[in-house]
Amino acid sequence: MRKSDDAPYSNLYQKSLAYDRRWVYRRRRVAVLAGVLAVVLVVGAGIWAVSLYFGFENGIRRSQAISGGAGLDQDVNILLMGLDSRLDENGKPLSQEEYDALHSGSADDGGYNSNVLMVLHVPKDGSQATVISIPRDDYVDLAGAPDGVKQGKVKQAYGYRMDEAMRELSADPKGKSQDETYQAARDEGRKAEIATVENFLKIKIDHFVEVTMAAFLSVAKAVAPITVCLQEATKDTYSGADFKAGQQQLTAQQAVAFVRQRRDTTRSGVELTDLDRARRQQAFISSLATQLKQKGTITDVGKVTGIVDALKGKMALDEGLNLIDFGMKAKQLTENKTKFVTLPIVEFGWSDTGESVNIVDAGAIQQQVADLLNPQPTPTQAPAQAASGQSQPAVASDSGAQAPAATQATAQGQAKSAASAAAPGPSPSPTSTYNAGDWSDALIGGGIPCVK
């Protein structure tokens, strides 16, 4: 499957794959977390008139990639996917103004990698929600071996399967138009990505939200300025980041750079990786949720309408995700200080095709996810549950995807990463700024986290 940089490409996705493999200072694509913001903060108010709801429905794409997911009266897992694409949900180019603001190339760049993957777990009992960030380069089994690729980066399942489906559907369109074929292939990509995450984490995905890069920019424009906090001054010519240390307010374009930055090009000693970028995204959600709540934005119909309009054409949801019902969960998400966790890796390594990947311990990750989504009772709870005959859910232990041969980190290092990610974080007041630690610590929402 690997091609040289100068090789001819039979399709756009192969071209984007080759571009992604230029690992030295390459611009990794990231379509950030507008799905979280749109669902949790915008539609999450849950009190808007029916006309606003249907106005939003008319502007987003509903997908058949998932059917029969659990209702919101049950525990639900929602997969948030941010695509690498420089196009909108209909496959159309963005405006030049948007490309300039994104600082990430043109319509010819990018592809259909799911460069942001987050699982939002919402308990039915109204307790604390959890967001699990899956590092995009984790080396896993790809569901269905799309395009003949059995193992790859977790983000690649979407693009490989979409590429494969486009060839299949184009060869036998069965009366479908070009646009219908394109959307059918997108649905196949979504199914593959969802199945890959389910197999990797050993969980059931009930619903999904998918956004393009332009979606985040649109939301940022609608709500800017946005307050964030950085532990150190940093600059990156690739993402356009240029930030001072401490708390500061960002424009929409600066917000894009903030969540995209994964390196410092000043040689100042600030070391950043993809894992730090995931922490930036988590911190941004916490900061923005805090800010919008303080300003009353999520109860201002006019402001919410502007955000909703900005997302039209740049977002897709499964058919079963009822946005009005989900809105009733918004109070739970904002008041219970959502917990953010990044899954640990063993080390940075290489695949057998020469790609830089994250070597992971799938069994340890599945145990950690099971513990996060099915927390064990505290010592004071255990006797009461034992007396009532209640049992705890079984914990999955199948190791799933096998990582390629590589030098393993010490057991002590692995234990620290897993323990730190699951450990309780600070409990800031809504107006506070606090040191969020590094990516291996849990981040508790409800304030302005200060990050690398």
Side-chain angles (χ1 to χ4, degrees):
M1 297 299 299
R2 193 177 179 217
K3 297 179 181 291
S4 69
D5 290 346
D6 297 324
Y9 307 106
S10 60
N11 54 63
L12 177 61
Y13 187 63
Q14 288 181 355
K15 179 180 178 181
S16 70
L17 282 179
Y19 189 89
D20 190 55
R21 286 167 181 156
R22 299 169 194 171
W23 65 274
V24 179
Y25 279 110
R26 68 188 183 277
R27 289 182 182 177
R28 295 191 182 185
R29 317 307 186 193
V30 60
V32 285
L33 45 134
V36 185
L37 306 179
V39 176
V40 176
L41 302 176
V42 180
V43 189
I47 59 174
W48 310 124
V50 173
S51 59
L52 176 60
Y53 169 74
F54 283 109
F56 186 52
E57 282 290 320
N58 290 335
I60 63 174
R61 181 168 296 280
R62 286 288 184 170
S63 164
Q64 298 179 355
I66 291 181
S67 59
L72 295 174
D73 58 341
Q74 303 295 318
D75 291 355
V76 293
N77 296 319
I78 303 173
L79 181 63
L80 310 165
M81 296 186 290
L83 293 192
D84 191 18
S85 176
R86 306 301 195 270
L87 308 173
D88 66 15
E89 282 290 344
N90 299 311
K92 308 301 182 185
L94 308 176
S95 68
Q96 187 57 51
E97 178 186 2
E98 288 173 305
Y99 287 124
D100 291 343
L102 289 169
H103 202 82
S104 58
S106 66
D108 295 329
D109 295 307
Y112 293 93
N113 287 330
S114 297
N115 271 4
V116 171
L117 288 168
M118 294 180 174
V119 175
L120 169 62
H121 175 73
V122 185
K124 65 180 179 181
D125 62 5
S127 58
Q128 184 182 54
T130 302
V131 172
I132 301 172
S133 292
I134 307 170
R136 63 180 185 167
D137 291 342
D138 283 3
Y139 193 67
V140 304
D141 287 338
L142 302 183
D147 260 349
V149 181
K150 294 182 179 180
Q151 290 184 311
K153 301 179 183 183
V154 65
K155 68 179 182 179
Q156 293 175 327
Y158 192 124
Y160 275 130
R161 177 56 188 143
M162 180 181 170
D163 176 60
E164 184 178 57
M166 280 294 291
R167 293 199 311 272
E168 296 168 353
L169 294 168
S170 297
D172 185 14
K174 294 184 171 61
K176 288 186 173 68
S177 67
Q178 186 174 357
D179 285 345
E180 290 171 333
T181 296
Y182 173 78
Q183 291 300 335
R186 290 285 293 266
D187 264 357
E188 290 299 312
R190 292 165 183 142
K191 291 176 184 177
E193 191 65 61
I194 291 164
T196 296
V197 170
E198 288 182 327
N199 295 343
F200 179 37
L201 303 187
K202 289 293 184 282
I203 62 172
K204 175 74 167 60
I205 297 297
D206 300 292
H207 303 286
F208 82 88
V209 176
E210 174 190 297
V211 294
T212 63
M213 291 188 73
F216 176 76
L217 177 63
S218 296
V219 171
K221 284 181 177 179
V223 301
I226 302 139
T227 302
V228 300
C229 183
L230 284 173
Q231 297 167 6
E232 302 176 82
T234 181
K235 187 174 182 179
D236 171 31
T237 56
Y238 290 85
S239 65
D242 187 359
F243 303 118
K244 63 183 181 181
Q247 192 173 114
Q248 55 208 284
Q249 288 194 320
L250 306 183
T251 65
Q253 187 167 346
Q254 288 173 324
V256 174
F258 178 84
V259 296
R260 288 189 66 232
Q261 185 181 5
R262 66 180 184 89
R263 63 169 69 84
D264 182 278
T265 55
T266 64
R267 299 183 180 179
S268 62
V270 178
E271 296 183 2
L272 298 170
T273 69
D274 256 2
L275 303 177
D276 298 303
R277 179 159 63 180
R279 174 45 50 95
R280 289 270 191 104
Q281 294 165 4
Q282 297 166 356
F284 189 91
I285 296 171
S286 176
S287 297
L288 186 55
T290 298
Q291 179 177 328
L292 296 186
K293 184 178 178 181
Q294 289 172 350
K295 291 183 177 181
T297 301
I298 60 176
T299 57
D300 185 319
V301 175
K303 291 180 180 178
V304 171
T305 301
I307 299 173
V308 167
D309 287 342
L311 286 168
K312 290 181 178 180
K314 300 165 185 174
M315 182 177 182
L317 311 173
D318 65 279
E319 289 185 333
L321 182 56
N322 187 309
L323 297 179
I324 291 180
D325 286 349
F326 189 81
M328 305 308 171
K329 294 281 188 178
K331 188 174 182 180
Q332 170 186 351
L333 297 171
T334 56
E335 292 190 358
N336 285 354
K337 298 178 180 178
T338 298
K339 181 177 184 176
F340 297 89
V341 174
T342 301
L343 295 179
I345 70 170
V346 174
E347 65 177 357
F348 298 112
W350 301 93
S351 71
D352 56 3
T353 58
E355 292 181 284
S356 58
V357 297
N358 300 332
I359 309 300
V360 297
D361 182 337
I365 283 174
Q366 290 157 15
Q367 180 70 62
Q368 180 182 344
V369 170
D371 291 342
L372 285 168
L373 304 192
N374 302 285
Q376 298 299 306
T378 62
T380 56
Q381 293 173 320
Q385 288 191 331
S388 66
Q390 295 178 356
S391 60
Q392 292 300 310
V395 176
S397 60
D398 185 357
S399 63
Q402 298 298 312
T407 302
Q408 301 296 304
T410 65
Q412 181 181 4
Q414 293 181 43
K416 178 184 182 298
S417 295
S420 296
S427 297
S429 67
T431 57
S432 70
T433 296
Y434 64 96
N435 189 309
D438 65 21
W439 66 267
S440 66
D441 297 318
L443 185 154
I444 306 300
I448 310 297
C450 217
V451 297
K452 289 177 67 176

